[in-house]
Structures are given as structure tokens and as C-alpha cells.
Amino acid sequence: MEKLLDHMQNNSERGENVKISSDIDSLSLGTKLALHLALIINELVTNAFKYAFINQENGEIQVTLNGNKDSLELSVKDNGIGLPKNFDPHNTDISKSIGLHMITNLVQQWDGELTFENNGGASFFITFPSQ
């Protein structure tokens, strides 16, 4: 995951002004779950780079992935402009947001829960039961 985030930071047009910070536990995950987490993180961080910092010079994206015997918790937060009014990732038009549709489907496949906040930027929280 750290390599993915480094790659995204180094290859983003906004990479000089928008920094990614991370706190990722050393976890032993199955290949399928690790791949799905990478897809989710990639989509959420890409969306933050694209949409969160419009008319902002600088910003930060924080990615946290922690696990314990009961659950696996992922959060992706930014300090950008926030989410659009009436935003709901569970009720997105697939033609307008295939990425969010993919995220909600992946979360459902793992019996996870997706929540979000719109406070000082966008924050997405995903919790999966231990596998």
C-alpha cells in the first residue's frame, strides 16, 4: 500500500502541492482482499486529487489502514472543499461515478460498511469484519 501511495504522489499533477500521509499497519491479508483494498484506496485518493482541491493551492490526503482481531478499518480523508451537497456514495448514478459504484460493490462483497463525513474536507471510512 505504501508503494501504491508513493506512486500516486509522484505521478500526480498536484503531487507537489497535495501531500499524502499514511498510517498503515503491517497486516497479513489474502491476495484478493489486498487487491480490493488497493483498488478502493486508488479510487478514493485519485478522486481527492481530482476534485478536493479545486481553487486550493495546497492540501493533504490522509490514508489509514488498521487491523485487529475483530475488524479491518480503512479511512481516506482530505482537507479539501468537501463533498457535493446531497452526496451519497450508496446512491450514485453508475454512469456518473463508476468508481464509487465499484467501491460500494467491493465493500459489500466483504460484508463491510462504508460511511463518510463532510467536515473540513471529505472523509471516507470503511470497516470490514476480520476475515
Side-chain angles (χ1 to χ4, degrees):
M1 297 299 172
E2 294 286 350
K3 287 182 182 180
L4 171 65
L5 294 172
D6 287 343
H7 178 77
M8 295 180 79
Q9 176 80 59
N10 294 331
N11 290 293
S12 170
E13 292 177 13
R14 304 281 320 253
E16 290 183 18
N17 297 345
V18 176
K19 301 298 180 199
I20 300 174
S21 63
S22 62
D23 177 16
I24 298 177
D25 286 352
S26 179
L27 302 168
S28 179
L29 302 173
T31 304
K32 188 174 179 181
L33 178 56
L35 177 62
H36 287 178
L37 283 170
L39 288 169
I40 291 168
I41 291 169
N42 183 71
E43 184 64 26
L44 290 173
V45 170
T46 297
N47 283 350
F49 271 119
K50 285 171 58 176
Y51 304 115
F53 306 105
I54 296 170
N55 299 324
Q56 280 187 233
E57 184 114 357
N58 298 305
E60 183 178 5
I61 302 167
Q62 298 173 326
V63 179
T64 305
L65 180 62
N66 303 113
N68 59 46
K69 64 182 178 79
D70 297 320
S71 65
L72 181 66
E73 298 174 352
L74 168 67
S75 68
V76 178
K77 304 175 184 180
D78 66 63
N79 63 350
I81 62 172
L83 299 165
K85 194 173 189 171
N86 300 322
F87 174 84
D88 184 354
H90 303 296
N91 294 313
T92 57
D93 181 348
I94 191 169
S95 67
K96 294 180 181 174
S97 185
I98 195 164
L100 282 174
H101 188 72
M102 175 197 67
I103 289 169
T104 57
N105 282 338
L106 290 173
V107 170
Q108 288 173 355
Q109 284 180 32
W110 292 96
D111 295 323
E113 180 182 3
L114 168 65
T115 58
F116 65 95
E117 292 178 2
N118 197 15
N119 186 10
S123 299
F124 291 87
F125 306 96
I126 300 171
T127 304
F128 298 106
S130 286
Q131 302 298 317

